[in-house]
Amino acid sequence: MTRMVQKTTSYERFVHWMMAISGITLLLTGFGFLYQNELGWINTVFGGQHVARLIHNWVGVVFTVSVILSMGVWLGEALSWSGEDSEWMGMLGGYLSKDLEPPPQGKLNAGQKLVVIVVVLCGLLIAASGFLMWLSPGSKNVMMWGHILHNLPFFVFAILIPIHIYLATAANPGTFRIMTKGWIPLYWAKKKHPKWVKEIGAD
Ligand code: HEM
């Protein structure tokens, strides 16, 4: 029988699905608000502009909680950056060339560590600016700065999240089960995250 190793707990998977469902809902409604002429139909699907606005604000609360919880799940690992991580980034994980052998990685590879850091920083900024605009809608200055500080991280997410989903599904078959069952074959973990397998003494 194939030996398996646990990559995520049910709590970690819960936090990730909370972030994924709320984040994607916010991206879709956000696109509907930004490009009303071209993509306004998205918010018609959500029940019209008024309902979409309510959904956007309250789902924003869920997303904010998920960002805060995700800091407990991933930030410690993401901030444990080593020389091997810089080397991995330098060759983009060897994804673009078969001749490059990327250095061994821990529980998260350097690209995933970067995703965590960007998601946390952009998540906190998008949440703070969103609450600012929601709670003080009268002030022109607040609305101007609020929009700038909301839209910049929005575009980062709009580019990063489709790449993240592609890398976690079609580009690396087998990865998605980390978000469903949480267990992966040991041989696969040894190949992708050898330092982590050693750390937990599963080799
Ligand atoms: C349905 C869409 C999504 C899928 C299929 C997906 C899939 C995954 C998978 C498989 C992992 C685990 C990778 C590993 O441990 O090796 C992961 C981790 C992660 N996901 Fe997602 N994800 C989705 C949406 C999102 C969204 C919307 C966000 C943020 C707004 C997000 C943020 C993260 C972060 C920060 C991590 C940890 C770092 C990383 O592994 O890249 N995910 N995701």
Side-chain angles (χ1 to χ4, degrees):
M1 231 182 57
T2 315
R3 271 184 73 195
M4 304 293 278
V5 58
Q6 190 174 21
K7 184 93 195 294
T8 50
T9 62
S10 50
Y11 169 72
E12 290 167 343
R13 292 196 297 282
F14 168 75
V15 171
H16 182 271
W17 280 112
M18 188 176 169
M19 177 178 264
I21 294 168
S22 60
I24 291 169
T25 307
L26 290 168
L27 273 175
L28 290 175
T29 45
F31 268 116
F33 298 136
L34 271 182
Y35 303 101
Q36 290 203 5
N37 290 338
E38 301 81 4
L39 298 174
W41 60 266
I42 297 178
N43 287 341
T44 310
V45 174
F46 276 97
Q49 285 295 321
H50 178 68
V51 179
R53 172 91 33 216
L54 277 176
I55 291 174
H56 191 83
N57 290 358
W58 287 103
V59 171
V61 177
V62 177
F63 180 73
T64 306
V65 174
S66 78
V67 171
I68 293 167
L69 297 180
S70 78
M71 291 164 74
V73 173
W74 293 306
L75 202 54
E77 173 70 17
L79 294 178
S80 67
W81 194 271
S82 70
E84 278 163 338
D85 289 320
S86 305
E87 214 183 305
W88 191 99
M89 283 310 293
M91 59 174 81
L92 291 176
Y95 278 119
L96 303 182
S97 165
K98 284 198 176 106
D99 303 329
L100 294 173
E101 184 60 41
Q105 295 292 287
K107 187 168 187 184
L108 296 178
N109 67 40
Q112 293 171 322
K113 288 181 177 178
L114 200 65
V115 169
V116 173
I117 294 166
V118 173
V119 165
V120 168
L121 287 178
C122 287
L124 292 177
L125 185 60
I126 213 165
S129 51
F131 285 121
L132 197 71
M133 292 189 288
W134 189 7
L135 302 175
S136 14
S139 157
K140 260 193 174 169
N141 244 342
V142 165
M143 289 314 269
M144 186 189 77
W145 281 107
H147 273 116
I148 293 173
L149 297 178
H150 207 61
N151 291 0
L152 286 176
F154 174 82
F155 285 115
V156 174
F157 276 126
I159 295 168
L160 181 75
I161 296 309
I163 297 175
H164 169 69
I165 295 174
Y166 171 66
L167 288 175
T169 54
N172 292 294
T175 309
F176 184 56
R177 65 190 146 194
I178 299 170
M179 287 342 301
T180 51
K181 297 194 164 70
W183 290 79
I184 52 176
L186 183 59
Y187 72 86
W188 196 80
K190 276 185 178 169
K191 201 170 123 209
K192 300 254 179 188
H193 307 277
K195 273 165 70 180
W196 170 64
V197 173
K198 269 205 183 115
E199 259 166 51
I200 59 170
D203 53 340

PDB file of all heavy atoms in Angstrom, residues 24-43 49 56 154-155 157-159 162:
ATOM      1  N   ILE A  24     -12.841  34.593  -4.063  1.00  0.00           N
ATOM      2  CA  ILE A  24     -13.304  34.532  -5.455  1.00  0.00           C
ATOM      3  C   ILE A  24     -14.614  35.327  -5.615  1.00  0.00           C
ATOM      4  O   ILE A  24     -14.809  36.048  -6.587  1.00  0.00           O
ATOM      5  CB  ILE A  24     -13.439  33.063  -5.918  1.00  0.00           C
ATOM      6  CG1 ILE A  24     -12.029  32.459  -6.033  1.00  0.00           C
ATOM      7  CG2 ILE A  24     -14.179  32.952  -7.245  1.00  0.00           C
ATOM      8  CD1 ILE A  24     -11.971  30.963  -6.232  1.00  0.00           C
ATOM      9  N   THR A  25     -15.507  35.250  -4.604  1.00  0.00           N
ATOM     10  CA  THR A  25     -16.752  36.036  -4.651  1.00  0.00           C
ATOM     11  C   THR A  25     -16.420  37.536  -4.710  1.00  0.00           C
ATOM     12  O   THR A  25     -17.020  38.303  -5.481  1.00  0.00           O
ATOM     13  CB  THR A  25     -17.618  35.743  -3.402  1.00  0.00           C
ATOM     14  OG1 THR A  25     -17.785  34.345  -3.296  1.00  0.00           O
ATOM     15  CG2 THR A  25     -18.978  36.425  -3.473  1.00  0.00           C
ATOM     16  N   LEU A  26     -15.429  37.956  -3.903  1.00  0.00           N
ATOM     17  CA  LEU A  26     -15.054  39.381  -3.881  1.00  0.00           C
ATOM     18  C   LEU A  26     -14.428  39.806  -5.209  1.00  0.00           C
ATOM     19  O   LEU A  26     -14.696  40.907  -5.705  1.00  0.00           O
ATOM     20  CB  LEU A  26     -14.066  39.643  -2.740  1.00  0.00           C
ATOM     21  CG  LEU A  26     -14.675  39.537  -1.336  1.00  0.00           C
ATOM     22  CD1 LEU A  26     -13.589  39.515  -0.272  1.00  0.00           C
ATOM     23  CD2 LEU A  26     -15.653  40.669  -1.067  1.00  0.00           C
ATOM     24  N   LEU A  27     -13.607  38.925  -5.786  1.00  0.00           N
ATOM     25  CA  LEU A  27     -12.995  39.261  -7.077  1.00  0.00           C
ATOM     26  C   LEU A  27     -14.078  39.430  -8.145  1.00  0.00           C
ATOM     27  O   LEU A  27     -14.060  40.390  -8.911  1.00  0.00           O
ATOM     28  CB  LEU A  27     -12.030  38.157  -7.516  1.00  0.00           C
ATOM     29  CG  LEU A  27     -10.586  38.239  -7.006  1.00  0.00           C
ATOM     30  CD1 LEU A  27      -9.797  37.012  -7.439  1.00  0.00           C
ATOM     31  CD2 LEU A  27      -9.887  39.497  -7.521  1.00  0.00           C
ATOM     32  N   LEU A  28     -15.047  38.491  -8.171  1.00  0.00           N
ATOM     33  CA  LEU A  28     -16.093  38.558  -9.202  1.00  0.00           C
ATOM     34  C   LEU A  28     -16.945  39.819  -9.043  1.00  0.00           C
ATOM     35  O   LEU A  28     -17.134  40.578  -9.997  1.00  0.00           O
ATOM     36  CB  LEU A  28     -16.988  37.310  -9.129  1.00  0.00           C
ATOM     37  CG  LEU A  28     -16.338  36.003  -9.575  1.00  0.00           C
ATOM     38  CD1 LEU A  28     -17.280  34.823  -9.333  1.00  0.00           C
ATOM     39  CD2 LEU A  28     -15.948  36.074 -11.052  1.00  0.00           C
ATOM     40  N   THR A  29     -17.444  40.075  -7.823  1.00  0.00           N
ATOM     41  CA  THR A  29     -18.281  41.265  -7.622  1.00  0.00           C
ATOM     42  C   THR A  29     -17.443  42.527  -7.848  1.00  0.00           C
ATOM     43  O   THR A  29     -17.928  43.511  -8.416  1.00  0.00           O
ATOM     44  CB  THR A  29     -18.925  41.279  -6.213  1.00  0.00           C
ATOM     45  OG1 THR A  29     -17.923  40.924  -5.238  1.00  0.00           O
ATOM     46  CG2 THR A  29     -20.076  40.310  -6.095  1.00  0.00           C
ATOM     47  N   GLY A  30     -16.165  42.488  -7.436  1.00  0.00           N
ATOM     48  CA  GLY A  30     -15.273  43.644  -7.638  1.00  0.00           C
ATOM     49  C   GLY A  30     -15.133  43.973  -9.119  1.00  0.00           C
ATOM     50  O   GLY A  30     -15.212  45.141  -9.521  1.00  0.00           O
ATOM     51  N   PHE A  31     -14.959  42.946  -9.959  1.00  0.00           N
ATOM     52  CA  PHE A  31     -14.875  43.182 -11.408  1.00  0.00           C
ATOM     53  C   PHE A  31     -16.181  43.783 -11.925  1.00  0.00           C
ATOM     54  O   PHE A  31     -16.180  44.665 -12.776  1.00  0.00           O
ATOM     55  CB  PHE A  31     -14.565  41.875 -12.150  1.00  0.00           C
ATOM     56  CG  PHE A  31     -13.085  41.646 -12.347  1.00  0.00           C
ATOM     57  CD1 PHE A  31     -12.442  40.570 -11.762  1.00  0.00           C
ATOM     58  CD2 PHE A  31     -12.337  42.525 -13.112  1.00  0.00           C
ATOM     59  CE1 PHE A  31     -11.076  40.365 -11.934  1.00  0.00           C
ATOM     60  CE2 PHE A  31     -10.964  42.337 -13.292  1.00  0.00           C
ATOM     61  CZ  PHE A  31     -10.335  41.253 -12.700  1.00  0.00           C
ATOM     62  N   GLY A  32     -17.304  43.301 -11.359  1.00  0.00           N
ATOM     63  CA  GLY A  32     -18.616  43.827 -11.768  1.00  0.00           C
ATOM     64  C   GLY A  32     -18.754  45.320 -11.455  1.00  0.00           C
ATOM     65  O   GLY A  32     -19.329  46.080 -12.237  1.00  0.00           O
ATOM     66  N   PHE A  33     -18.208  45.767 -10.313  1.00  0.00           N
ATOM     67  CA  PHE A  33     -18.287  47.196  -9.948  1.00  0.00           C
ATOM     68  C   PHE A  33     -17.348  48.040 -10.811  1.00  0.00           C
ATOM     69  O   PHE A  33     -17.693  49.132 -11.244  1.00  0.00           O
ATOM     70  CB  PHE A  33     -17.889  47.425  -8.479  1.00  0.00           C
ATOM     71  CG  PHE A  33     -18.779  46.727  -7.481  1.00  0.00           C
ATOM     72  CD1 PHE A  33     -18.245  46.059  -6.393  1.00  0.00           C
ATOM     73  CD2 PHE A  33     -20.160  46.744  -7.624  1.00  0.00           C
ATOM     74  CE1 PHE A  33     -19.042  45.408  -5.468  1.00  0.00           C
ATOM     75  CE2 PHE A  33     -20.976  46.095  -6.712  1.00  0.00           C
ATOM     76  CZ  PHE A  33     -20.413  45.425  -5.633  1.00  0.00           C
ATOM     77  N   LEU A  34     -16.111  47.516 -11.028  1.00  0.00           N
ATOM     78  CA  LEU A  34     -15.079  48.296 -11.732  1.00  0.00           C
ATOM     79  C   LEU A  34     -15.415  48.491 -13.201  1.00  0.00           C
ATOM     80  O   LEU A  34     -15.156  49.546 -13.769  1.00  0.00           O
ATOM     81  CB  LEU A  34     -13.723  47.593 -11.632  1.00  0.00           C
ATOM     82  CG  LEU A  34     -12.832  47.922 -10.443  1.00  0.00           C
ATOM     83  CD1 LEU A  34     -11.508  47.163 -10.566  1.00  0.00           C
ATOM     84  CD2 LEU A  34     -12.550  49.418 -10.374  1.00  0.00           C
ATOM     85  N   TYR A  35     -15.938  47.443 -13.841  1.00  0.00           N
ATOM     86  CA  TYR A  35     -16.213  47.516 -15.284  1.00  0.00           C
ATOM     87  C   TYR A  35     -17.707  47.306 -15.510  1.00  0.00           C
ATOM     88  O   TYR A  35     -18.124  46.304 -16.080  1.00  0.00           O
ATOM     89  CB  TYR A  35     -15.390  46.451 -16.034  1.00  0.00           C
ATOM     90  CG  TYR A  35     -13.903  46.592 -15.794  1.00  0.00           C
ATOM     91  CD1 TYR A  35     -13.235  45.769 -14.884  1.00  0.00           C
ATOM     92  CD2 TYR A  35     -13.168  47.572 -16.456  1.00  0.00           C
ATOM     93  CE1 TYR A  35     -11.874  45.919 -14.644  1.00  0.00           C
ATOM     94  CE2 TYR A  35     -11.805  47.735 -16.217  1.00  0.00           C
ATOM     95  CZ  TYR A  35     -11.168  46.908 -15.309  1.00  0.00           C
ATOM     96  OH  TYR A  35      -9.822  47.058 -15.067  1.00  0.00           O
ATOM     97  N   GLN A  36     -18.503  48.304 -15.054  1.00  0.00           N
ATOM     98  CA  GLN A  36     -19.959  48.125 -15.075  1.00  0.00           C
ATOM     99  C   GLN A  36     -20.501  47.932 -16.488  1.00  0.00           C
ATOM    100  O   GLN A  36     -21.434  47.167 -16.690  1.00  0.00           O
ATOM    101  CB  GLN A  36     -20.611  49.324 -14.401  1.00  0.00           C
ATOM    102  CG  GLN A  36     -20.328  49.300 -12.924  1.00  0.00           C
ATOM    103  CD  GLN A  36     -21.321  50.084 -12.094  1.00  0.00           C
ATOM    104  OE1 GLN A  36     -22.307  50.592 -12.607  1.00  0.00           O
ATOM    105  NE2 GLN A  36     -21.041  50.186 -10.810  1.00  0.00           N
ATOM    106  N   ASN A  37     -19.897  48.639 -17.472  1.00  0.00           N
ATOM    107  CA  ASN A  37     -20.418  48.510 -18.845  1.00  0.00           C
ATOM    108  C   ASN A  37     -20.159  47.125 -19.425  1.00  0.00           C
ATOM    109  O   ASN A  37     -21.040  46.519 -20.022  1.00  0.00           O
ATOM    110  CB  ASN A  37     -19.787  49.563 -19.763  1.00  0.00           C
ATOM    111  CG  ASN A  37     -20.291  50.948 -19.413  1.00  0.00           C
ATOM    112  OD1 ASN A  37     -21.363  51.080 -18.801  1.00  0.00           O
ATOM    113  ND2 ASN A  37     -19.520  51.970 -19.752  1.00  0.00           N
ATOM    114  N   GLU A  38     -18.901  46.658 -19.213  1.00  0.00           N
ATOM    115  CA  GLU A  38     -18.518  45.375 -19.832  1.00  0.00           C
ATOM    116  C   GLU A  38     -18.908  44.172 -18.974  1.00  0.00           C
ATOM    117  O   GLU A  38     -19.307  43.131 -19.483  1.00  0.00           O
ATOM    118  CB  GLU A  38     -17.004  45.311 -20.069  1.00  0.00           C
ATOM    119  CG  GLU A  38     -16.427  46.413 -20.962  1.00  0.00           C
ATOM    120  CD  GLU A  38     -16.194  47.727 -20.218  1.00  0.00           C
ATOM    121  OE1 GLU A  38     -16.409  47.768 -18.995  1.00  0.00           O
ATOM    122  OE2 GLU A  38     -15.822  48.715 -20.882  1.00  0.00           O
ATOM    123  N   LEU A  39     -18.735  44.302 -17.628  1.00  0.00           N
ATOM    124  CA  LEU A  39     -18.905  43.132 -16.754  1.00  0.00           C
ATOM    125  C   LEU A  39     -20.029  43.303 -15.727  1.00  0.00           C
ATOM    126  O   LEU A  39     -20.130  42.530 -14.774  1.00  0.00           O
ATOM    127  CB  LEU A  39     -17.575  42.828 -16.018  1.00  0.00           C
ATOM    128  CG  LEU A  39     -16.374  42.466 -16.896  1.00  0.00           C
ATOM    129  CD1 LEU A  39     -15.101  42.334 -16.066  1.00  0.00           C
ATOM    130  CD2 LEU A  39     -16.628  41.140 -17.622  1.00  0.00           C
ATOM    131  N   GLY A  40     -20.870  44.335 -15.928  1.00  0.00           N
ATOM    132  CA  GLY A  40     -21.973  44.594 -14.988  1.00  0.00           C
ATOM    133  C   GLY A  40     -22.895  43.382 -14.848  1.00  0.00           C
ATOM    134  O   GLY A  40     -23.523  43.181 -13.807  1.00  0.00           O
ATOM    135  N   TRP A  41     -22.935  42.532 -15.895  1.00  0.00           N
ATOM    136  CA  TRP A  41     -23.803  41.339 -15.877  1.00  0.00           C
ATOM    137  C   TRP A  41     -23.445  40.422 -14.711  1.00  0.00           C
ATOM    138  O   TRP A  41     -24.302  39.699 -14.199  1.00  0.00           O
ATOM    139  CB  TRP A  41     -23.735  40.594 -17.209  1.00  0.00           C
ATOM    140  CG  TRP A  41     -22.359  40.113 -17.582  1.00  0.00           C
ATOM    141  CD1 TRP A  41     -21.453  40.766 -18.358  1.00  0.00           C
ATOM    142  CD2 TRP A  41     -21.722  38.899 -17.166  1.00  0.00           C
ATOM    143  NE1 TRP A  41     -20.296  40.043 -18.462  1.00  0.00           N
ATOM    144  CE2 TRP A  41     -20.425  38.882 -17.744  1.00  0.00           C
ATOM    145  CE3 TRP A  41     -22.110  37.808 -16.385  1.00  0.00           C
ATOM    146  CZ2 TRP A  41     -19.519  37.845 -17.539  1.00  0.00           C
ATOM    147  CZ3 TRP A  41     -21.209  36.770 -16.191  1.00  0.00           C
ATOM    148  CH2 TRP A  41     -19.937  36.790 -16.753  1.00  0.00           C
ATOM    149  N   ILE A  42     -22.158  40.463 -14.284  1.00  0.00           N
ATOM    150  CA  ILE A  42     -21.758  39.576 -13.173  1.00  0.00           C
ATOM    151  C   ILE A  42     -22.622  39.903 -11.954  1.00  0.00           C
ATOM    152  O   ILE A  42     -23.144  39.013 -11.277  1.00  0.00           O
ATOM    153  CB  ILE A  42     -20.259  39.755 -12.809  1.00  0.00           C
ATOM    154  CG1 ILE A  42     -19.369  39.350 -13.983  1.00  0.00           C
ATOM    155  CG2 ILE A  42     -19.904  38.942 -11.564  1.00  0.00           C
ATOM    156  CD1 ILE A  42     -17.867  39.531 -13.727  1.00  0.00           C
ATOM    157  N   ASN A  43     -22.780  41.200 -11.681  1.00  0.00           N
ATOM    158  CA  ASN A  43     -23.543  41.571 -10.489  1.00  0.00           C
ATOM    159  C   ASN A  43     -25.055  41.423 -10.694  1.00  0.00           C
ATOM    160  O   ASN A  43     -25.805  41.307  -9.723  1.00  0.00           O
ATOM    161  CB  ASN A  43     -23.140  42.967 -10.018  1.00  0.00           C
ATOM    162  CG  ASN A  43     -21.749  42.921  -9.384  1.00  0.00           C
ATOM    163  OD1 ASN A  43     -21.293  41.840  -8.994  1.00  0.00           O
ATOM    164  ND2 ASN A  43     -21.081  44.058  -9.299  1.00  0.00           N
ATOM    165  N   GLN A  49     -27.075  45.385  -8.599  1.00  0.00           N
ATOM    166  CA  GLN A  49     -26.004  46.188  -7.985  1.00  0.00           C
ATOM    167  C   GLN A  49     -26.133  46.296  -6.460  1.00  0.00           C
ATOM    168  O   GLN A  49     -25.170  46.147  -5.730  1.00  0.00           O
ATOM    169  CB  GLN A  49     -26.023  47.610  -8.572  1.00  0.00           C
ATOM    170  CG  GLN A  49     -25.471  47.717  -9.969  1.00  0.00           C
ATOM    171  CD  GLN A  49     -23.971  47.384 -10.041  1.00  0.00           C
ATOM    172  OE1 GLN A  49     -23.208  47.739  -9.162  1.00  0.00           O
ATOM    173  NE2 GLN A  49     -23.567  46.683 -11.088  1.00  0.00           N
ATOM    174  N   HIS A  56     -20.782  41.942  -1.300  1.00  0.00           N
ATOM    175  CA  HIS A  56     -19.360  42.296  -1.325  1.00  0.00           C
ATOM    176  C   HIS A  56     -18.899  42.729   0.080  1.00  0.00           C
ATOM    177  O   HIS A  56     -17.868  42.277   0.573  1.00  0.00           O
ATOM    178  CB  HIS A  56     -19.135  43.412  -2.349  1.00  0.00           C
ATOM    179  CG  HIS A  56     -17.680  43.692  -2.649  1.00  0.00           C
ATOM    180  ND1 HIS A  56     -16.956  42.962  -3.552  1.00  0.00           N
ATOM    181  CD2 HIS A  56     -16.823  44.617  -2.156  1.00  0.00           C
ATOM    182  CE1 HIS A  56     -15.712  43.419  -3.617  1.00  0.00           C
ATOM    183  NE2 HIS A  56     -15.602  44.441  -2.770  1.00  0.00           N
ATOM    184  N   PHE A 154      -6.305  44.789  -5.254  1.00  0.00           N
ATOM    185  CA  PHE A 154      -7.297  44.043  -6.048  1.00  0.00           C
ATOM    186  C   PHE A 154      -6.651  43.522  -7.336  1.00  0.00           C
ATOM    187  O   PHE A 154      -6.815  42.353  -7.702  1.00  0.00           O
ATOM    188  CB  PHE A 154      -8.493  44.955  -6.383  1.00  0.00           C
ATOM    189  CG  PHE A 154      -9.492  44.320  -7.311  1.00  0.00           C
ATOM    190  CD1 PHE A 154     -10.449  43.451  -6.821  1.00  0.00           C
ATOM    191  CD2 PHE A 154      -9.458  44.564  -8.679  1.00  0.00           C
ATOM    192  CE1 PHE A 154     -11.367  42.836  -7.679  1.00  0.00           C
ATOM    193  CE2 PHE A 154     -10.364  43.966  -9.540  1.00  0.00           C
ATOM    194  CZ  PHE A 154     -11.327  43.098  -9.036  1.00  0.00           C
ATOM    195  N   PHE A 155      -5.872  44.396  -8.014  1.00  0.00           N
ATOM    196  CA  PHE A 155      -5.244  43.949  -9.268  1.00  0.00           C
ATOM    197  C   PHE A 155      -4.162  42.901  -9.020  1.00  0.00           C
ATOM    198  O   PHE A 155      -3.974  41.998  -9.834  1.00  0.00           O
ATOM    199  CB  PHE A 155      -4.710  45.146 -10.070  1.00  0.00           C
ATOM    200  CG  PHE A 155      -5.822  45.901 -10.741  1.00  0.00           C
ATOM    201  CD1 PHE A 155      -6.121  47.204 -10.395  1.00  0.00           C
ATOM    202  CD2 PHE A 155      -6.609  45.271 -11.710  1.00  0.00           C
ATOM    203  CE1 PHE A 155      -7.178  47.880 -10.995  1.00  0.00           C
ATOM    204  CE2 PHE A 155      -7.670  45.938 -12.318  1.00  0.00           C
ATOM    205  CZ  PHE A 155      -7.952  47.248 -11.958  1.00  0.00           C
ATOM    206  N   PHE A 157      -4.325  40.632  -6.667  1.00  0.00           N
ATOM    207  CA  PHE A 157      -5.095  39.386  -6.502  1.00  0.00           C
ATOM    208  C   PHE A 157      -5.610  38.876  -7.854  1.00  0.00           C
ATOM    209  O   PHE A 157      -5.598  37.679  -8.117  1.00  0.00           O
ATOM    210  CB  PHE A 157      -6.297  39.611  -5.575  1.00  0.00           C
ATOM    211  CG  PHE A 157      -5.954  39.493  -4.112  1.00  0.00           C
ATOM    212  CD1 PHE A 157      -6.265  40.508  -3.224  1.00  0.00           C
ATOM    213  CD2 PHE A 157      -5.323  38.371  -3.618  1.00  0.00           C
ATOM    214  CE1 PHE A 157      -5.950  40.406  -1.869  1.00  0.00           C
ATOM    215  CE2 PHE A 157      -5.009  38.251  -2.271  1.00  0.00           C
ATOM    216  CZ  PHE A 157      -5.315  39.272  -1.394  1.00  0.00           C
ATOM    217  N   ALA A 158      -6.074  39.832  -8.696  1.00  0.00           N
ATOM    218  CA  ALA A 158      -6.669  39.428  -9.980  1.00  0.00           C
ATOM    219  C   ALA A 158      -5.648  38.699 -10.851  1.00  0.00           C
ATOM    220  O   ALA A 158      -6.002  37.840 -11.660  1.00  0.00           O
ATOM    221  CB  ALA A 158      -7.212  40.658 -10.711  1.00  0.00           C
ATOM    222  N   ILE A 159      -4.353  39.034 -10.689  1.00  0.00           N
ATOM    223  CA  ILE A 159      -3.306  38.352 -11.463  1.00  0.00           C
ATOM    224  C   ILE A 159      -2.837  37.093 -10.724  1.00  0.00           C
ATOM    225  O   ILE A 159      -2.707  36.012 -11.292  1.00  0.00           O
ATOM    226  CB  ILE A 159      -2.114  39.307 -11.713  1.00  0.00           C
ATOM    227  CG1 ILE A 159      -2.579  40.470 -12.600  1.00  0.00           C
ATOM    228  CG2 ILE A 159      -0.934  38.572 -12.354  1.00  0.00           C
ATOM    229  CD1 ILE A 159      -1.597  41.614 -12.673  1.00  0.00           C
ATOM    230  N   PRO A 162      -5.565  33.567 -10.246  1.00  0.00           N
ATOM    231  CA  PRO A 162      -5.676  32.591 -11.350  1.00  0.00           C
ATOM    232  C   PRO A 162      -4.384  31.789 -11.523  1.00  0.00           C
ATOM    233  O   PRO A 162      -4.435  30.578 -11.775  1.00  0.00           O
ATOM    234  CB  PRO A 162      -5.962  33.462 -12.580  1.00  0.00           C
ATOM    235  CG  PRO A 162      -6.587  34.700 -12.012  1.00  0.00           C
ATOM    236  CD  PRO A 162      -5.938  34.928 -10.676  1.00  0.00           C
TER     237      PRO A 162
END
